[in-house]
Each structure stands twice: as C-alpha cells, then as structure tokens.
Amino acid sequence: MSQRPNVPHYSSIAFGLHSHLLVSSEMNPNSNCAAMGVKGFVEGGIASIVAGCSTHPLDLIKVRMQLQGESHVPNPAVQALRPALAFQTTTTTTSSAIHMPPPPARVGPVATGIKIFRTEGVAALFSGVSATVLRQTLYSTTRMGLYDILKQKWTDKETKTMPLSRKITAGLIAGGIGAAVGNPADVAMVRMQADGRLPVSQRRNYTSVVDAITRMTKQEGVTSLWRGSSLTVNRAMLVTASQLASYDQIKEMILENGLMKDGLGTHVAASFSAGFVAAVASNPVDVIKTRVMNMKVEAGQKPPYTGALDCAIKTVKAEGPMALYKGFIPTISRQGPFTVVLFVTLEQVRKLLKDF
C-alpha cells in the first residue's frame, strides 16, 4: 500500500501562520498595534473605492448641477475672462442689459442625467472614474485609516465607548490630512467630470487622471494640483467628522436602545442617516470648491476668483444665497448611497479580515 506524500494542507499552513502572528504580537505589542493600524487603512481603502466607483455617475451629476448658472454674473469683464465656464454665449450691448436677463433655468438631477446620456453618451456618466479611484485611494484610505487609529486610541478601555466630541475631533483631524494628500486627484476628477458641459473647442479632453495631472503640472504649474486645497480640507473635515462620527454614534444608539440587532439593517439605517448629515454640513463648501477647482486661468489674465471667499461672495451676489445649496438633491442622492455602500462594505470587509 503506497503512502501519500507528506504535503501540508493549506488550512494547516494558514493555522500555523496565524499562530505565529499571535505569538509574535504577544511578544511585541508594538508590532500588533502597527498591524492593526495598517489593517484599518486597507479596510477603509477597499470600502471607499467600491463606494466611489459605484456612485460615480451621481457625483458627476452633482458637479454639473453645482456649475449651473455660474456664467450669469453682473460684471461683463468677469464674463469675458472665463468663457470656459459658460453654458451658452450671450451678447450684451449696454450695461443695463446685463442685469435684465433672468438667470438660466435650473435643471434637476434626472433631467441633467438624461441630458448627459443623450448628448454625450452613457460612457460620459463615468467621466473621471480613474480620478475617483485615485482620489479614494489617497484621500479616503488616509482618512478612514487615521480615524480608525484615533478611535482605537481614544476609546475607553472599560466601557468600550468613545464620546461624541472625540469622534468629531478624530474626524476633523483624519479628514483634513486625507484631503491634503488627495487634493491633486480631486482637482483632476472635478475637471474631468465638468469637461463635457463645455463647447467642444474649449474642452480639456483629459484621457485619464495621469494625463490630467501631467498636463496641469506642465501648463499651470505644480501649485495648480493644490488649487482649492483649503476648501478641500475644510470640506473633508466637515464630511469626515459628520459622516464617520454620526455613523458610529447612531449605530451605538440603535444597539443600546435595542431597536435593531447588529446587522445589515442597522448598518444601512446608520449609514444613510450619516450621509444626510454629511450632505447638509458640506454642500456649501462643496459648491465653492467645485467652482474654484474648475475655473480656467488664462495666461496673463486675472483669474475668475481670487480665492474661496471671493468665489462665495460672487456666487451669492450673482445667484443668491441658495446657490450654495445647488446640487443638494444629487448630493444627498449620492451621499446616501455612497455612505451606505461605504459602511456596509466596510463592515463586511472587517468580518473577512477579522482573523488577520
């Protein structure tokens, strides 16, 4: 009777590796902390990329809506300096006529989506998706990982809870750092998403996020990659603090009050609520960020906006204060599904990686 060769089974190898890691972590607690820190980045990165790609068309519609009416400004000199931002070309002969025409009619998210589909094709709904992947890899991976590290450090060891104030603080810190890291991809994503609304002769026609970043660096300088970075950081701090902190807080409240068990229903309810809070808190900053990032600066000419405050003032003067909430419906329509997919995926990834 022939004997089978002594080949180790995969489960035996995995068990041995897991045991080795456990022994190593007991001998060196610092290495275990480092591993847990890296794990948080990996889990957050995977969940963010899945959520970002699956809701990209909604984000594109939001950007297009936020740019609606931007060309309707009372100063013709400013209008002449930014033809790339105009939906249509209007001719005015007298200064009094500039104030007479009503602003362009606002188009809703459904109509905006249909218009993109009809005029640019279905592929246009995924314009800039490569930039979304890079942005989520840099920005969201960083913020999710840092938040997880701070959460582990600031959670009470006995009660296993963390005060809301600390959750918000952790979100502010993690969001700010993540935004600074991912700003180049954010600028590229906004430009690629907005490109289709311009006349063919004025489009930038970036072929990918790499092409966008390369051309921006050559044509506008390296600093253009961090254009609107203060807005990006402020928005990211608001989004991360409201999104992650509210998700953890609402989830804890649901479980503590016995409303639902820790499962898919709890995750969906908490994440959708968190998405709504994040949308309300961040939309005004998001509108200004989109416009500053998308502005086209002509060589030797004054830029349309000198900064975030200038953009906010011009936007409110030309279009009214509610212009800061342009694109809110697609924002919540995107933030809701994005946050749900993000946290549901995150919870599942955590289950898969819980033994590593």
Side-chain angles (χ1 to χ4, degrees):
M1 183 175 181
S2 60
Q3 294 183 345
R4 294 175 62 186
N6 187 20
V7 178
H9 195 269
Y10 288 117
S11 59
S12 302
I13 297 174
F15 179 77
L17 178 60
H18 187 219
S19 302
H20 173 72
L21 291 173
L22 287 174
V23 173
S24 300
S25 63
E26 290 173 358
M27 294 177 64
N28 188 359
N30 292 330
S31 65
N32 188 39
C33 292
M36 290 297 291
V38 172
K39 184 180 174 184
F41 283 93
V42 173
E43 293 170 345
I46 294 172
S48 298
I49 292 171
V50 171
C53 291
S54 60
T55 59
H56 183 82
L58 296 174
D59 193 48
L60 184 142
I61 291 172
K62 176 204 73 174
V63 167
R64 295 288 182 91
M65 289 188 69
Q66 287 175 339
L67 293 170
Q68 283 183 17
E70 189 180 22
S71 61
H72 185 78
V73 293
N75 188 349
V78 176
Q79 172 68 21
L81 288 179
R82 47 176 184 173
L85 298 180
F87 279 110
Q88 56 188 12
T89 304
T90 57
T91 304
T92 55
T93 56
T94 63
S95 59
S96 60
I98 297 169
H99 300 278
M100 294 300 293
R106 295 185 180 182
V107 182
V110 176
T112 301
I114 293 173
K115 181 181 178 182
I116 293 170
F117 175 76
R118 287 179 176 176
T119 59
E120 302 171 48
V122 66
L125 293 171
F126 286 89
S127 297
V129 71
S130 61
T132 292
V133 173
L134 181 60
R135 178 177 180 269
Q136 297 299 338
T137 302
L138 297 176
Y139 159 61
S140 288
T141 299
T142 302
R143 74 180 182 120
M144 299 288 285
L146 288 177
Y147 181 82
D148 193 60
I149 290 174
L150 294 173
K151 184 178 174 182
Q152 291 178 30
K153 288 184 176 294
W154 292 349
T155 296
D156 189 281
K157 305 298 181 185
E158 296 180 358
T159 61
K160 303 295 183 182
T161 59
M162 181 177 170
L164 179 60
S165 59
R166 288 191 175 183
K167 292 173 184 172
I168 294 173
T169 303
L172 292 171
I173 295 172
I177 296 174
V181 173
N183 200 82
D186 208 359
V187 177
M189 182 186 73
V190 167
R191 290 191 173 195
M192 293 174 75
Q193 289 178 333
D195 210 36
R197 63 183 280 273
L198 303 175
V200 176
S201 61
Q202 296 174 2
R203 292 179 185 176
R204 297 180 175 102
N205 293 319
Y206 297 133
T207 58
S208 68
V209 63
V210 176
D211 178 54
I213 292 175
T214 302
R215 284 171 55 186
M216 284 170 61
T217 303
K218 290 180 179 179
Q219 296 170 3
E220 304 172 49
V222 178
T223 55
S224 66
L225 298 178
W226 274 270
R227 180 172 293 155
S229 59
S230 61
L231 291 165
T232 306
V233 169
N234 290 334
R235 176 189 177 277
M237 291 173 71
L238 288 172
V239 169
T240 306
S242 56
Q243 188 184 65
L244 301 187
S246 59
Y247 174 77
D248 283 342
Q249 191 69 21
I250 294 170
K251 180 182 173 183
E252 286 177 11
M253 290 172 60
I254 291 174
L255 296 177
E256 286 175 1
N257 293 310
L259 300 176
M260 286 186 285
K261 294 182 179 180
D262 189 5
L264 183 62
T266 300
H267 302 158
V268 171
S271 58
F272 190 84
S273 301
F276 180 80
V277 173
V280 172
S282 66
N283 202 88
V285 180
D286 199 25
V287 171
I288 303 304
K289 175 186 77 76
T290 297
R291 295 190 171 195
V292 170
M293 286 182 170
N294 187 59
M295 71 176 177
K296 188 172 183 178
V297 181
E298 301 290 346
Q301 294 183 339
K302 185 179 178 181
Y305 308 119
T306 57
L309 182 60
D310 181 54
C311 179
I313 292 172
K314 286 180 178 177
T315 298
V316 172
K317 281 185 177 180
E319 305 166 52
M322 288 309 295
L324 297 177
Y325 272 91
K326 275 189 175 181
F328 179 75
I329 298 302
T331 293
I332 187 59
S333 299
R334 185 256 180 188
Q335 276 284 5
F338 175 86
T339 311
V340 170
V341 175
L342 173 67
F343 286 113
V344 169
T345 304
L346 181 62
E347 297 285 0
Q348 298 306 312
V349 172
R350 282 174 176 170
K351 288 181 181 179
L352 291 173
L353 302 179
K354 65 179 180 179
D355 293 330
F356 290 92

PDB file of all heavy atoms in Angstrom, residues 189-218:
ATOM      1  N   MET A 189     -10.426  65.066 -10.913  1.00  0.00           N
ATOM      2  CA  MET A 189     -11.754  64.469 -11.001  1.00  0.00           C
ATOM      3  C   MET A 189     -12.806  65.516 -11.338  1.00  0.00           C
ATOM      4  O   MET A 189     -13.660  65.297 -12.216  1.00  0.00           O
ATOM      5  CB  MET A 189     -12.107  63.792  -9.675  1.00  0.00           C
ATOM      6  CG  MET A 189     -13.456  63.087  -9.690  1.00  0.00           C
ATOM      7  SD  MET A 189     -13.915  62.437  -8.072  1.00  0.00           S
ATOM      8  CE  MET A 189     -14.318  63.962  -7.202  1.00  0.00           C
ATOM      9  N   VAL A 190     -12.758  66.680 -10.657  1.00  0.00           N
ATOM     10  CA  VAL A 190     -13.734  67.742 -10.918  1.00  0.00           C
ATOM     11  C   VAL A 190     -13.645  68.212 -12.368  1.00  0.00           C
ATOM     12  O   VAL A 190     -14.661  68.390 -13.051  1.00  0.00           O
ATOM     13  CB  VAL A 190     -13.510  68.923  -9.953  1.00  0.00           C
ATOM     14  CG1 VAL A 190     -14.297  70.155 -10.407  1.00  0.00           C
ATOM     15  CG2 VAL A 190     -13.926  68.537  -8.545  1.00  0.00           C
ATOM     16  N   ARG A 191     -12.430  68.405 -12.863  1.00  0.00           N
ATOM     17  CA  ARG A 191     -12.257  68.895 -14.241  1.00  0.00           C
ATOM     18  C   ARG A 191     -12.738  67.871 -15.264  1.00  0.00           C
ATOM     19  O   ARG A 191     -13.371  68.231 -16.262  1.00  0.00           O
ATOM     20  CB  ARG A 191     -10.788  69.231 -14.485  1.00  0.00           C
ATOM     21  CG  ARG A 191     -10.322  70.458 -13.713  1.00  0.00           C
ATOM     22  CD  ARG A 191      -8.972  70.910 -14.190  1.00  0.00           C
ATOM     23  NE  ARG A 191      -8.577  72.168 -13.577  1.00  0.00           N
ATOM     24  CZ  ARG A 191      -7.581  72.922 -14.015  1.00  0.00           C
ATOM     25  NH1 ARG A 191      -6.868  72.549 -15.064  1.00  0.00           N
ATOM     26  NH2 ARG A 191      -7.271  74.059 -13.409  1.00  0.00           N
ATOM     27  N   MET A 192     -12.437  66.612 -15.025  1.00  0.00           N
ATOM     28  CA  MET A 192     -12.857  65.578 -15.966  1.00  0.00           C
ATOM     29  C   MET A 192     -14.373  65.418 -15.969  1.00  0.00           C
ATOM     30  O   MET A 192     -14.980  65.175 -17.017  1.00  0.00           O
ATOM     31  CB  MET A 192     -12.165  64.255 -15.624  1.00  0.00           C
ATOM     32  CG  MET A 192     -10.658  64.283 -15.861  1.00  0.00           C
ATOM     33  SD  MET A 192      -9.805  62.780 -15.306  1.00  0.00           S
ATOM     34  CE  MET A 192     -10.277  61.636 -16.607  1.00  0.00           C
ATOM     35  N   GLN A 193     -14.998  65.567 -14.808  1.00  0.00           N
ATOM     36  CA  GLN A 193     -16.451  65.458 -14.733  1.00  0.00           C
ATOM     37  C   GLN A 193     -17.145  66.646 -15.391  1.00  0.00           C
ATOM     38  O   GLN A 193     -18.220  66.502 -15.965  1.00  0.00           O
ATOM     39  CB  GLN A 193     -16.884  65.360 -13.265  1.00  0.00           C
ATOM     40  CG  GLN A 193     -16.536  64.040 -12.609  1.00  0.00           C
ATOM     41  CD  GLN A 193     -16.926  64.005 -11.147  1.00  0.00           C
ATOM     42  OE1 GLN A 193     -16.991  65.038 -10.481  1.00  0.00           O
ATOM     43  NE2 GLN A 193     -17.184  62.827 -10.626  1.00  0.00           N
ATOM     44  N   ALA A 194     -16.534  67.826 -15.289  1.00  0.00           N
ATOM     45  CA  ALA A 194     -17.153  69.051 -15.812  1.00  0.00           C
ATOM     46  C   ALA A 194     -16.860  69.285 -17.288  1.00  0.00           C
ATOM     47  O   ALA A 194     -17.510  70.127 -17.923  1.00  0.00           O
ATOM     48  CB  ALA A 194     -16.667  70.257 -15.004  1.00  0.00           C
ATOM     49  N   ASP A 195     -15.918  68.566 -17.864  1.00  0.00           N
ATOM     50  CA  ASP A 195     -15.444  68.846 -19.213  1.00  0.00           C
ATOM     51  C   ASP A 195     -16.536  68.747 -20.271  1.00  0.00           C
ATOM     52  O   ASP A 195     -16.587  69.532 -21.211  1.00  0.00           O
ATOM     53  CB  ASP A 195     -14.298  67.896 -19.574  1.00  0.00           C
ATOM     54  CG  ASP A 195     -13.313  68.526 -20.551  1.00  0.00           C
ATOM     55  OD1 ASP A 195     -13.071  69.741 -20.438  1.00  0.00           O
ATOM     56  OD2 ASP A 195     -12.791  67.805 -21.413  1.00  0.00           O
ATOM     57  N   GLY A 196     -17.438  67.798 -20.118  1.00  0.00           N
ATOM     58  CA  GLY A 196     -18.457  67.559 -21.134  1.00  0.00           C
ATOM     59  C   GLY A 196     -19.463  68.676 -21.292  1.00  0.00           C
ATOM     60  O   GLY A 196     -20.155  68.755 -22.305  1.00  0.00           O
ATOM     61  N   ARG A 197     -19.572  69.568 -20.318  1.00  0.00           N
ATOM     62  CA  ARG A 197     -20.540  70.656 -20.405  1.00  0.00           C
ATOM     63  C   ARG A 197     -20.034  71.834 -21.233  1.00  0.00           C
ATOM     64  O   ARG A 197     -20.786  72.748 -21.554  1.00  0.00           O
ATOM     65  CB  ARG A 197     -20.896  71.168 -18.998  1.00  0.00           C
ATOM     66  CG  ARG A 197     -19.714  71.772 -18.261  1.00  0.00           C
ATOM     67  CD  ARG A 197     -20.075  72.194 -16.845  1.00  0.00           C
ATOM     68  NE  ARG A 197     -20.760  73.469 -16.799  1.00  0.00           N
ATOM     69  CZ  ARG A 197     -20.150  74.637 -16.737  1.00  0.00           C
ATOM     70  NH1 ARG A 197     -18.824  74.691 -16.743  1.00  0.00           N
ATOM     71  NH2 ARG A 197     -20.839  75.752 -16.672  1.00  0.00           N
ATOM     72  N   LEU A 198     -18.753  71.814 -21.581  1.00  0.00           N
ATOM     73  CA  LEU A 198     -18.142  72.904 -22.336  1.00  0.00           C
ATOM     74  C   LEU A 198     -18.294  72.685 -23.841  1.00  0.00           C
ATOM     75  O   LEU A 198     -18.461  71.548 -24.295  1.00  0.00           O
ATOM     76  CB  LEU A 198     -16.658  73.024 -21.999  1.00  0.00           C
ATOM     77  CG  LEU A 198     -16.287  73.240 -20.521  1.00  0.00           C
ATOM     78  CD1 LEU A 198     -14.783  73.221 -20.349  1.00  0.00           C
ATOM     79  CD2 LEU A 198     -16.867  74.549 -20.019  1.00  0.00           C
ATOM     80  N   PRO A 199     -18.210  73.763 -24.637  1.00  0.00           N
ATOM     81  CA  PRO A 199     -18.161  73.595 -26.098  1.00  0.00           C
ATOM     82  C   PRO A 199     -16.962  72.730 -26.481  1.00  0.00           C
ATOM     83  O   PRO A 199     -15.941  72.745 -25.787  1.00  0.00           O
ATOM     84  CB  PRO A 199     -17.990  75.034 -26.604  1.00  0.00           C
ATOM     85  CG  PRO A 199     -18.534  75.898 -25.514  1.00  0.00           C
ATOM     86  CD  PRO A 199     -18.219  75.180 -24.239  1.00  0.00           C
ATOM     87  N   VAL A 200     -17.094  71.996 -27.564  1.00  0.00           N
ATOM     88  CA  VAL A 200     -16.042  71.056 -27.971  1.00  0.00           C
ATOM     89  C   VAL A 200     -14.684  71.738 -28.091  1.00  0.00           C
ATOM     90  O   VAL A 200     -13.654  71.184 -27.698  1.00  0.00           O
ATOM     91  CB  VAL A 200     -16.415  70.379 -29.316  1.00  0.00           C
ATOM     92  CG1 VAL A 200     -15.290  69.472 -29.789  1.00  0.00           C
ATOM     93  CG2 VAL A 200     -17.709  69.598 -29.167  1.00  0.00           C
ATOM     94  N   SER A 201     -14.672  72.958 -28.610  1.00  0.00           N
ATOM     95  CA  SER A 201     -13.401  73.671 -28.817  1.00  0.00           C
ATOM     96  C   SER A 201     -12.729  74.087 -27.521  1.00  0.00           C
ATOM     97  O   SER A 201     -11.536  74.378 -27.497  1.00  0.00           O
ATOM     98  CB  SER A 201     -13.636  74.911 -29.681  1.00  0.00           C
ATOM     99  OG  SER A 201     -14.539  75.802 -29.038  1.00  0.00           O
ATOM    100  N   GLN A 202     -13.477  74.110 -26.418  1.00  0.00           N
ATOM    101  CA  GLN A 202     -12.937  74.586 -25.153  1.00  0.00           C
ATOM    102  C   GLN A 202     -12.677  73.470 -24.148  1.00  0.00           C
ATOM    103  O   GLN A 202     -12.224  73.723 -23.042  1.00  0.00           O
ATOM    104  CB  GLN A 202     -13.903  75.605 -24.533  1.00  0.00           C
ATOM    105  CG  GLN A 202     -14.064  76.863 -25.374  1.00  0.00           C
ATOM    106  CD  GLN A 202     -15.130  77.796 -24.816  1.00  0.00           C
ATOM    107  OE1 GLN A 202     -15.727  77.521 -23.779  1.00  0.00           O
ATOM    108  NE2 GLN A 202     -15.368  78.897 -25.514  1.00  0.00           N
ATOM    109  N   ARG A 203     -12.952  72.242 -24.528  1.00  0.00           N
ATOM    110  CA  ARG A 203     -12.757  71.126 -23.604  1.00  0.00           C
ATOM    111  C   ARG A 203     -11.278  70.803 -23.411  1.00  0.00           C
ATOM    112  O   ARG A 203     -10.469  70.958 -24.322  1.00  0.00           O
ATOM    113  CB  ARG A 203     -13.490  69.884 -24.121  1.00  0.00           C
ATOM    114  CG  ARG A 203     -14.997  70.028 -24.091  1.00  0.00           C
ATOM    115  CD  ARG A 203     -15.707  68.797 -24.632  1.00  0.00           C
ATOM    116  NE  ARG A 203     -17.137  69.009 -24.707  1.00  0.00           N
ATOM    117  CZ  ARG A 203     -18.011  68.137 -25.204  1.00  0.00           C
ATOM    118  NH1 ARG A 203     -17.575  66.981 -25.692  1.00  0.00           N
ATOM    119  NH2 ARG A 203     -19.288  68.423 -25.230  1.00  0.00           N
ATOM    120  N   ARG A 204     -10.963  70.336 -22.245  1.00  0.00           N
ATOM    121  CA  ARG A 204      -9.583  69.965 -21.935  1.00  0.00           C
ATOM    122  C   ARG A 204      -9.254  68.577 -22.485  1.00  0.00           C
ATOM    123  O   ARG A 204      -8.107  68.272 -22.769  1.00  0.00           O
ATOM    124  CB  ARG A 204      -9.372  69.997 -20.423  1.00  0.00           C
ATOM    125  CG  ARG A 204      -9.559  71.404 -19.809  1.00  0.00           C
ATOM    126  CD  ARG A 204      -9.341  71.354 -18.307  1.00  0.00           C
ATOM    127  NE  ARG A 204      -9.387  72.669 -17.691  1.00  0.00           N
ATOM    128  CZ  ARG A 204     -10.428  73.167 -17.018  1.00  0.00           C
ATOM    129  NH1 ARG A 204     -11.532  72.433 -16.898  1.00  0.00           N
ATOM    130  NH2 ARG A 204     -10.379  74.358 -16.468  1.00  0.00           N
ATOM    131  N   ASN A 205     -10.251  67.707 -22.537  1.00  0.00           N
ATOM    132  CA  ASN A 205     -10.103  66.360 -23.111  1.00  0.00           C
ATOM    133  C   ASN A 205      -8.988  65.556 -22.460  1.00  0.00           C
ATOM    134  O   ASN A 205      -8.148  64.972 -23.131  1.00  0.00           O
ATOM    135  CB  ASN A 205      -9.866  66.458 -24.633  1.00  0.00           C
ATOM    136  CG  ASN A 205     -11.077  66.997 -25.373  1.00  0.00           C
ATOM    137  OD1 ASN A 205     -12.216  66.640 -25.069  1.00  0.00           O
ATOM    138  ND2 ASN A 205     -10.832  67.868 -26.341  1.00  0.00           N
ATOM    139  N   TYR A 206      -8.993  65.511 -21.143  1.00  0.00           N
ATOM    140  CA  TYR A 206      -8.036  64.653 -20.440  1.00  0.00           C
ATOM    141  C   TYR A 206      -8.393  63.192 -20.731  1.00  0.00           C
ATOM    142  O   TYR A 206      -9.555  62.801 -20.673  1.00  0.00           O
ATOM    143  CB  TYR A 206      -8.098  64.886 -18.933  1.00  0.00           C
ATOM    144  CG  TYR A 206      -7.720  66.289 -18.494  1.00  0.00           C
ATOM    145  CD1 TYR A 206      -8.520  66.982 -17.588  1.00  0.00           C
ATOM    146  CD2 TYR A 206      -6.564  66.912 -18.954  1.00  0.00           C
ATOM    147  CE1 TYR A 206      -8.184  68.263 -17.157  1.00  0.00           C
ATOM    148  CE2 TYR A 206      -6.220  68.188 -18.528  1.00  0.00           C
ATOM    149  CZ  TYR A 206      -7.033  68.860 -17.635  1.00  0.00           C
ATOM    150  OH  TYR A 206      -6.689  70.121 -17.211  1.00  0.00           O
ATOM    151  N   THR A 207      -7.391  62.401 -21.036  1.00  0.00           N
ATOM    152  CA  THR A 207      -7.639  60.990 -21.348  1.00  0.00           C
ATOM    153  C   THR A 207      -7.673  60.112 -20.099  1.00  0.00           C
ATOM    154  O   THR A 207      -8.263  59.043 -20.117  1.00  0.00           O
ATOM    155  CB  THR A 207      -6.551  60.457 -22.302  1.00  0.00           C
ATOM    156  OG1 THR A 207      -5.262  60.637 -21.695  1.00  0.00           O
ATOM    157  CG2 THR A 207      -6.595  61.205 -23.623  1.00  0.00           C
ATOM    158  N   SER A 208      -7.036  60.564 -19.039  1.00  0.00           N
ATOM    159  CA  SER A 208      -7.004  59.809 -17.781  1.00  0.00           C
ATOM    160  C   SER A 208      -6.565  60.747 -16.677  1.00  0.00           C
ATOM    161  O   SER A 208      -6.177  61.897 -16.922  1.00  0.00           O
ATOM    162  CB  SER A 208      -6.044  58.622 -17.883  1.00  0.00           C
ATOM    163  OG  SER A 208      -4.700  59.090 -17.991  1.00  0.00           O
ATOM    164  N   VAL A 209      -6.607  60.249 -15.457  1.00  0.00           N
ATOM    165  CA  VAL A 209      -6.173  61.063 -14.314  1.00  0.00           C
ATOM    166  C   VAL A 209      -4.681  61.376 -14.400  1.00  0.00           C
ATOM    167  O   VAL A 209      -4.234  62.473 -14.023  1.00  0.00           O
ATOM    168  CB  VAL A 209      -6.512  60.356 -12.982  1.00  0.00           C
ATOM    169  CG1 VAL A 209      -5.752  59.033 -12.841  1.00  0.00           C
ATOM    170  CG2 VAL A 209      -6.195  61.263 -11.795  1.00  0.00           C
ATOM    171  N   VAL A 210      -3.906  60.439 -14.943  1.00  0.00           N
ATOM    172  CA  VAL A 210      -2.460  60.677 -15.106  1.00  0.00           C
ATOM    173  C   VAL A 210      -2.225  61.789 -16.117  1.00  0.00           C
ATOM    174  O   VAL A 210      -1.405  62.692 -15.902  1.00  0.00           O
ATOM    175  CB  VAL A 210      -1.737  59.384 -15.545  1.00  0.00           C
ATOM    176  CG1 VAL A 210      -0.264  59.665 -15.818  1.00  0.00           C
ATOM    177  CG2 VAL A 210      -1.881  58.301 -14.482  1.00  0.00           C
ATOM    178  N   ASP A 211      -2.971  61.740 -17.228  1.00  0.00           N
ATOM    179  CA  ASP A 211      -2.858  62.782 -18.249  1.00  0.00           C
ATOM    180  C   ASP A 211      -3.277  64.136 -17.689  1.00  0.00           C
ATOM    181  O   ASP A 211      -2.631  65.163 -17.961  1.00  0.00           O
ATOM    182  CB  ASP A 211      -3.736  62.419 -19.452  1.00  0.00           C
ATOM    183  CG  ASP A 211      -3.710  63.481 -20.546  1.00  0.00           C
ATOM    184  OD1 ASP A 211      -2.605  63.842 -20.989  1.00  0.00           O
ATOM    185  OD2 ASP A 211      -4.793  63.951 -20.948  1.00  0.00           O
ATOM    186  N   ALA A 212      -4.335  64.149 -16.894  1.00  0.00           N
ATOM    187  CA  ALA A 212      -4.817  65.403 -16.297  1.00  0.00           C
ATOM    188  C   ALA A 212      -3.771  66.022 -15.387  1.00  0.00           C
ATOM    189  O   ALA A 212      -3.465  67.218 -15.495  1.00  0.00           O
ATOM    190  CB  ALA A 212      -6.109  65.142 -15.520  1.00  0.00           C
ATOM    191  N   ILE A 213      -3.216  65.224 -14.492  1.00  0.00           N
ATOM    192  CA  ILE A 213      -2.223  65.731 -13.545  1.00  0.00           C
ATOM    193  C   ILE A 213      -0.952  66.170 -14.268  1.00  0.00           C
ATOM    194  O   ILE A 213      -0.368  67.208 -13.954  1.00  0.00           O
ATOM    195  CB  ILE A 213      -1.907  64.655 -12.479  1.00  0.00           C
ATOM    196  CG1 ILE A 213      -3.135  64.449 -11.583  1.00  0.00           C
ATOM    197  CG2 ILE A 213      -0.691  65.048 -11.644  1.00  0.00           C
ATOM    198  CD1 ILE A 213      -2.981  63.336 -10.573  1.00  0.00           C
ATOM    199  N   THR A 214      -0.540  65.409 -15.288  1.00  0.00           N
ATOM    200  CA  THR A 214       0.667  65.749 -16.048  1.00  0.00           C
ATOM    201  C   THR A 214       0.493  67.070 -16.790  1.00  0.00           C
ATOM    202  O   THR A 214       1.365  67.946 -16.738  1.00  0.00           O
ATOM    203  CB  THR A 214       0.994  64.634 -17.059  1.00  0.00           C
ATOM    204  OG1 THR A 214       1.175  63.391 -16.362  1.00  0.00           O
ATOM    205  CG2 THR A 214       2.277  64.959 -17.820  1.00  0.00           C
ATOM    206  N   ARG A 215      -0.633  67.231 -17.484  1.00  0.00           N
ATOM    207  CA  ARG A 215      -0.870  68.455 -18.245  1.00  0.00           C
ATOM    208  C   ARG A 215      -1.069  69.666 -17.344  1.00  0.00           C
ATOM    209  O   ARG A 215      -0.624  70.768 -17.661  1.00  0.00           O
ATOM    210  CB  ARG A 215      -2.072  68.253 -19.168  1.00  0.00           C
ATOM    211  CG  ARG A 215      -1.740  67.397 -20.395  1.00  0.00           C
ATOM    212  CD  ARG A 215      -2.973  67.028 -21.180  1.00  0.00           C
ATOM    213  NE  ARG A 215      -3.758  68.193 -21.572  1.00  0.00           N
ATOM    214  CZ  ARG A 215      -4.957  68.111 -22.173  1.00  0.00           C
ATOM    215  NH1 ARG A 215      -5.458  66.916 -22.448  1.00  0.00           N
ATOM    216  NH2 ARG A 215      -5.616  69.198 -22.493  1.00  0.00           N
ATOM    217  N   MET A 216      -1.733  69.481 -16.234  1.00  0.00           N
ATOM    218  CA  MET A 216      -1.910  70.586 -15.292  1.00  0.00           C
ATOM    219  C   MET A 216      -0.562  71.059 -14.763  1.00  0.00           C
ATOM    220  O   MET A 216      -0.313  72.263 -14.637  1.00  0.00           O
ATOM    221  CB  MET A 216      -2.806  70.147 -14.135  1.00  0.00           C
ATOM    222  CG  MET A 216      -4.276  70.065 -14.486  1.00  0.00           C
ATOM    223  SD  MET A 216      -5.239  69.277 -13.180  1.00  0.00           S
ATOM    224  CE  MET A 216      -4.929  70.423 -11.846  1.00  0.00           C
ATOM    225  N   THR A 217       0.309  70.107 -14.473  1.00  0.00           N
ATOM    226  CA  THR A 217       1.636  70.459 -13.966  1.00  0.00           C
ATOM    227  C   THR A 217       2.431  71.240 -15.007  1.00  0.00           C
ATOM    228  O   THR A 217       3.088  72.237 -14.684  1.00  0.00           O
ATOM    229  CB  THR A 217       2.403  69.187 -13.566  1.00  0.00           C
ATOM    230  OG1 THR A 217       1.631  68.458 -12.596  1.00  0.00           O
ATOM    231  CG2 THR A 217       3.761  69.533 -12.974  1.00  0.00           C
ATOM    232  N   LYS A 218       2.374  70.792 -16.268  1.00  0.00           N
ATOM    233  CA  LYS A 218       3.129  71.452 -17.339  1.00  0.00           C
ATOM    234  C   LYS A 218       2.548  72.815 -17.709  1.00  0.00           C
ATOM    235  O   LYS A 218       3.277  73.780 -17.916  1.00  0.00           O
ATOM    236  CB  LYS A 218       3.170  70.555 -18.589  1.00  0.00           C
ATOM    237  CG  LYS A 218       4.029  69.307 -18.434  1.00  0.00           C
ATOM    238  CD  LYS A 218       4.013  68.487 -19.719  1.00  0.00           C
ATOM    239  CE  LYS A 218       4.887  67.238 -19.598  1.00  0.00           C
ATOM    240  NZ  LYS A 218       4.850  66.421 -20.841  1.00  0.00           N
TER     241      LYS A 218
END
